[in-house]
Amino acid sequence: MNKLFKALTASAAGFFAAAALTFTVCAEDYTFDVSEAVQTNGEWGQSFVYYTCNDGNHEGNFDATWITSDSEVLVEYTYEGDSSSRAPVELIWQTWAGGPVAPNPDVNRTWNKIAPYEYDDTSAKFSFEDIVGSYGTDDFATVYAINVGDTGVKLTVTGVTITNCNIPSEESETEAETEEEAEEETEAETEAETEKVTEKETEATTTVKETKAPETEAVTTEATTNIADNAPKEGGGGAVAVTVIIIVIVVAGIAVGIYFMVKNNKGKYY
Protein backbone atom coordinates (compact mmCIF):
# COMPACT_ATOMS: atom_id res chain seq x y z
CA MET A 1 0.00 0.00 0.00
CA ASN A 2 2.82 2.39 0.90
CA LYS A 3 4.60 1.60 -2.39
CA LEU A 4 1.43 2.35 -4.35
CA PHE A 5 0.96 5.65 -2.48
CA LYS A 6 4.58 6.68 -3.18
CA ALA A 7 4.21 5.80 -6.86
CA LEU A 8 1.06 7.91 -7.18
CA THR A 9 2.72 10.80 -5.34
CA ALA A 10 5.76 10.70 -7.64
CA SER A 11 3.56 10.62 -10.73
CA ALA A 12 1.56 13.63 -9.51
CA ALA A 13 4.75 15.56 -8.75
CA GLY A 14 6.06 14.80 -12.22
CA PHE A 15 2.80 15.97 -13.78
CA PHE A 16 2.82 19.30 -11.93
CA ALA A 17 6.51 19.85 -12.76
CA ALA A 18 5.81 19.27 -16.45
CA ALA A 19 2.84 21.65 -16.29
CA ALA A 20 4.98 24.32 -14.63
CA LEU A 21 7.68 23.89 -17.27
CA THR A 22 5.09 24.18 -20.03
CA PHE A 23 3.80 27.39 -18.47
CA THR A 24 7.34 28.81 -18.20
CA VAL A 25 8.10 28.38 -21.90
CA CYS A 26 4.67 29.55 -23.00
CA ALA A 27 5.02 31.54 -26.23
CA GLU A 28 4.29 35.26 -26.36
CA ASP A 29 3.26 37.72 -29.05
CA TYR A 30 5.72 40.49 -29.91
CA THR A 31 4.26 43.81 -31.07
CA PHE A 32 6.57 46.23 -32.88
CA ASP A 33 6.66 49.99 -32.60
CA VAL A 34 5.43 51.31 -35.95
CA SER A 35 5.41 54.99 -35.02
CA GLU A 36 8.11 55.69 -37.65
CA ALA A 37 6.33 53.88 -40.47
CA VAL A 38 5.84 56.04 -43.57
CA GLN A 39 3.56 56.09 -46.58
CA THR A 40 5.24 54.58 -49.63
CA ASN A 41 5.16 56.19 -53.06
CA GLY A 42 3.39 53.20 -54.59
CA GLU A 43 6.46 51.90 -56.40
CA TRP A 44 7.32 48.81 -54.36
CA GLY A 45 8.81 50.76 -51.52
CA GLN A 46 8.97 49.94 -47.81
CA SER A 47 6.67 51.50 -45.24
CA PHE A 48 8.13 49.67 -42.23
CA VAL A 49 11.82 48.78 -41.73
CA TYR A 50 13.00 47.13 -38.51
CA TYR A 51 16.58 46.08 -37.69
CA THR A 52 16.82 43.04 -35.43
CA CYS A 53 19.41 42.56 -32.70
CA ASN A 54 20.96 39.84 -34.88
CA ASP A 55 22.85 42.39 -36.99
CA GLY A 56 25.06 43.21 -33.99
CA ASN A 57 24.25 46.93 -34.01
CA HIS A 58 20.80 47.02 -32.40
CA GLU A 59 21.13 45.40 -28.99
CA GLY A 60 17.81 45.04 -27.20
CA ASN A 61 15.76 44.81 -30.39
CA PHE A 62 13.69 41.80 -31.44
CA ASP A 63 15.66 38.57 -31.94
CA ALA A 64 14.56 36.70 -35.07
CA THR A 65 15.50 33.37 -33.48
CA TRP A 66 12.57 33.79 -31.03
CA ILE A 67 10.21 32.93 -33.88
CA THR A 68 8.72 29.42 -33.66
CA SER A 69 6.96 27.07 -36.07
CA ASP A 70 3.67 28.30 -34.56
CA SER A 71 4.44 31.95 -35.32
CA GLU A 72 2.65 34.15 -37.81
CA VAL A 73 3.38 37.71 -38.87
CA LEU A 74 0.28 39.93 -38.65
CA VAL A 75 0.37 43.27 -40.48
CA GLU A 76 -2.20 46.06 -40.35
CA TYR A 77 -2.22 48.92 -42.85
CA THR A 78 -4.05 51.48 -44.95
CA TYR A 79 -3.42 52.08 -48.62
CA GLU A 80 -4.39 54.12 -51.65
CA GLY A 81 -4.62 52.61 -55.13
CA ASP A 82 -5.84 49.51 -56.95
CA SER A 83 -4.87 46.14 -55.47
CA SER A 84 -7.48 44.01 -57.18
CA SER A 85 -4.88 41.78 -58.85
CA ARG A 86 -2.71 41.07 -55.82
CA ALA A 87 -2.28 41.71 -52.10
CA PRO A 88 -1.40 45.36 -51.39
CA VAL A 89 1.39 44.33 -49.00
CA GLU A 90 4.40 42.01 -48.86
CA LEU A 91 6.85 40.92 -46.15
CA ILE A 92 10.62 40.96 -46.75
CA TRP A 93 13.11 38.86 -44.75
CA GLN A 94 16.47 40.58 -45.28
CA THR A 95 20.08 39.56 -44.66
CA TRP A 96 23.48 40.66 -45.97
CA ALA A 97 27.13 39.72 -45.95
CA GLY A 98 29.42 41.17 -43.32
CA GLY A 99 27.14 40.52 -40.36
CA PRO A 100 28.28 39.11 -37.00
CA VAL A 101 27.39 35.58 -38.18
CA ALA A 102 28.86 33.92 -41.25
CA PRO A 103 26.38 33.82 -44.17
CA ASN A 104 24.13 30.78 -44.08
CA PRO A 105 24.45 28.82 -47.36
CA ASP A 106 20.84 27.67 -47.02
CA VAL A 107 19.51 31.23 -47.28
CA ASN A 108 18.14 31.79 -50.78
CA ARG A 109 19.00 35.47 -51.22
CA THR A 110 19.59 38.69 -49.33
CA TRP A 111 16.12 40.07 -50.18
CA ASN A 112 13.41 37.44 -49.62
CA LYS A 113 9.78 38.41 -50.40
CA ILE A 114 6.83 36.64 -48.81
CA ALA A 115 3.21 37.02 -49.91
CA PRO A 116 0.39 36.81 -47.34
CA TYR A 117 -1.72 33.66 -47.25
CA GLU A 118 -4.70 35.74 -46.15
CA TYR A 119 -5.47 39.44 -46.48
CA ASP A 120 -8.14 42.11 -46.86
CA ASP A 121 -8.18 45.91 -47.18
CA THR A 122 -6.74 46.51 -43.69
CA SER A 123 -4.73 43.44 -42.62
CA ALA A 124 -2.65 40.48 -43.82
CA LYS A 125 -1.29 37.24 -42.35
CA PHE A 126 2.05 35.60 -43.22
CA SER A 127 2.66 31.98 -42.21
CA PHE A 128 5.84 30.45 -40.80
CA GLU A 129 5.90 27.89 -43.63
CA ASP A 130 5.74 30.57 -46.32
CA ILE A 131 8.52 32.56 -44.62
CA VAL A 132 10.79 29.50 -44.42
CA GLY A 133 9.97 28.58 -48.02
CA SER A 134 11.05 32.01 -49.28
CA TYR A 135 14.04 32.41 -46.96
CA GLY A 136 15.33 28.87 -47.50
CA THR A 137 15.76 27.83 -43.84
CA ASP A 138 14.13 28.09 -40.44
CA ASP A 139 17.43 29.27 -38.94
CA PHE A 140 16.79 33.00 -38.60
CA ALA A 141 20.09 33.91 -36.92
CA THR A 142 21.08 35.94 -39.99
CA VAL A 143 17.76 37.78 -40.40
CA TYR A 144 19.10 41.31 -39.94
CA ALA A 145 16.03 43.30 -41.03
CA ILE A 146 12.28 42.77 -41.28
CA ASN A 147 10.55 44.95 -43.88
CA VAL A 148 6.96 45.51 -44.97
CA GLY A 149 6.49 47.02 -48.42
CA ASP A 150 3.82 47.83 -50.97
CA THR A 151 3.02 46.03 -54.22
CA GLY A 152 2.20 49.05 -56.35
CA VAL A 153 -0.07 51.03 -53.99
CA LYS A 154 0.61 53.83 -51.52
CA LEU A 155 0.90 51.81 -48.33
CA THR A 156 1.09 52.90 -44.68
CA VAL A 157 1.76 50.23 -42.05
CA THR A 158 -0.23 50.74 -38.82
CA GLY A 159 0.69 47.57 -36.92
CA VAL A 160 3.08 44.59 -36.96
CA THR A 161 2.91 41.62 -34.57
CA ILE A 162 4.69 38.26 -34.57
CA THR A 163 2.74 35.65 -32.62
CA ASN A 164 3.93 32.72 -30.47
CA CYS A 165 7.52 33.82 -29.92
CA ASN A 166 9.76 32.03 -27.42
CA ILE A 167 11.02 35.13 -25.62
CA PRO A 168 13.56 34.15 -22.90
CA SER A 169 12.40 34.65 -19.33
CA GLU A 170 15.29 37.03 -18.58
CA GLU A 171 13.85 39.39 -21.19
CA SER A 172 10.57 39.47 -19.27
CA GLU A 173 12.50 39.95 -16.00
CA THR A 174 14.42 42.84 -17.58
CA GLU A 175 11.15 44.49 -18.61
CA ALA A 176 9.78 44.01 -15.07
CA GLU A 177 12.97 45.49 -13.58
CA THR A 178 12.72 48.43 -15.96
CA GLU A 179 9.11 49.05 -14.87
CA GLU A 180 10.14 48.75 -11.21
CA GLU A 181 12.98 51.23 -11.72
CA ALA A 182 10.56 53.61 -13.42
CA GLU A 183 8.20 53.32 -10.43
CA GLU A 184 11.07 53.98 -8.02
CA GLU A 185 12.12 57.04 -10.03
CA THR A 186 8.53 58.29 -9.94
CA GLU A 187 8.38 57.79 -6.16
CA ALA A 188 11.71 59.58 -5.73
CA GLU A 189 10.47 62.50 -7.86
CA THR A 190 7.25 62.64 -5.83
CA GLU A 191 9.21 62.68 -2.55
CA ALA A 192 11.47 65.42 -3.89
CA GLU A 193 8.46 67.50 -4.94
CA THR A 194 6.87 66.94 -1.51
CA GLU A 195 10.06 68.08 0.22
CA LYS A 196 10.17 71.19 -1.96
CA VAL A 197 6.55 72.02 -1.11
CA THR A 198 7.25 71.47 2.61
CA GLU A 199 10.33 73.70 2.46
CA LYS A 200 8.33 76.43 0.73
CA GLU A 201 5.55 76.18 3.34
CA THR A 202 8.14 76.34 6.15
CA GLU A 203 9.78 79.37 4.58
CA ALA A 204 6.38 81.06 4.21
CA THR A 205 5.52 80.35 7.88
CA THR A 206 8.89 81.67 9.03
CA THR A 207 8.39 84.81 6.97
CA VAL A 208 4.97 85.39 8.55
CA LYS A 209 6.42 84.97 12.05
CA GLU A 210 9.30 87.31 11.32
CA THR A 211 6.87 89.83 9.87
CA LYS A 212 4.64 89.78 12.95
CA ALA A 213 7.52 90.00 15.47
CA PRO A 214 8.05 93.81 15.23
CA GLU A 215 4.31 94.34 15.79
CA THR A 216 4.46 92.26 18.98
CA GLU A 217 7.50 94.15 20.17
CA ALA A 218 5.74 97.46 19.48
CA VAL A 219 2.63 96.40 21.43
CA THR A 220 4.77 95.19 24.38
CA THR A 221 6.74 98.44 24.40
CA GLU A 222 3.56 100.49 24.33
CA ALA A 223 2.02 98.51 27.23
CA THR A 224 5.19 98.91 29.31
CA THR A 225 5.18 102.64 28.63
CA ASN A 226 1.53 102.94 29.75
CA ILE A 227 2.25 101.09 33.03
CA ALA A 228 5.24 103.30 33.72
CA ASP A 229 3.20 106.42 33.01
CA ASN A 230 0.42 105.33 35.42
CA ALA A 231 2.80 104.31 38.29
CA PRO A 232 3.01 106.60 41.41
CA LYS A 233 5.68 109.24 41.22
CA GLU A 234 8.53 109.13 43.75
CA GLY A 235 8.66 111.84 46.52
CA GLY A 236 4.97 112.87 46.52
CA GLY A 237 2.27 110.75 48.18
CA GLY A 238 4.86 108.16 49.25
CA ALA A 239 6.82 110.62 51.42
CA VAL A 240 3.63 111.94 53.15
CA ALA A 241 2.52 108.44 54.05
CA VAL A 242 5.88 107.63 55.67
CA THR A 243 5.77 110.84 57.74
CA VAL A 244 2.25 110.10 59.06
CA ILE A 245 3.29 106.59 60.11
CA ILE A 246 6.28 107.93 62.04
CA ILE A 247 4.12 110.52 63.89
CA VAL A 248 1.57 107.84 64.85
CA ILE A 249 4.32 105.62 66.27
CA VAL A 250 5.83 108.49 68.31
CA VAL A 251 2.43 109.53 69.71
CA ALA A 252 1.64 105.95 70.64
CA GLY A 253 4.99 105.61 72.43
CA ILE A 254 4.40 108.78 74.45
CA ALA A 255 0.89 107.64 75.43
CA VAL A 256 2.21 104.29 76.68
CA GLY A 257 4.93 106.03 78.71
CA ILE A 258 2.42 108.37 80.39
CA TYR A 259 0.14 105.41 81.24
CA PHE A 260 2.88 103.52 83.11
CA MET A 261 4.03 106.70 84.94
CA VAL A 262 0.50 107.39 86.22
CA LYS A 263 0.07 103.80 87.33
CA ASN A 264 3.32 103.82 89.31
CA ASN A 265 2.50 107.12 91.03
CA LYS A 266 -0.87 105.81 92.24
CA GLY A 267 0.88 102.97 94.01
CA LYS A 268 3.06 105.33 95.99
CA TYR A 269 0.23 107.44 97.41
CA TYR A 270 -1.98 104.65 98.59
Side-chain angles (χ1 to χ4, degrees), residues 64-76:
T65 63
W66 295 343
I67 296 173
T68 69
S69 58
D70 295 324
S71 296
E72 287 188 337
V73 179
L74 310 179
V75 178
E76 297 176 340

Side-chain angles (χ1 to χ4, degrees), residues 155-166:
L155 180 79
T156 303
V157 171
T158 58
V160 176
T161 299
I162 300 181
T163 66
N164 299 312
C165 297
N166 276 344

Side-chain angles (χ1 to χ4, degrees), residues 4 21 76 83 96 178 193 227 231 250 263:
L4 178 60
L21 179 60
E76 297 176 340
S83 65
W96 52 78
T178 302
E193 291 177 356
I227 292 171
V250 172
K263 185 176 181 180

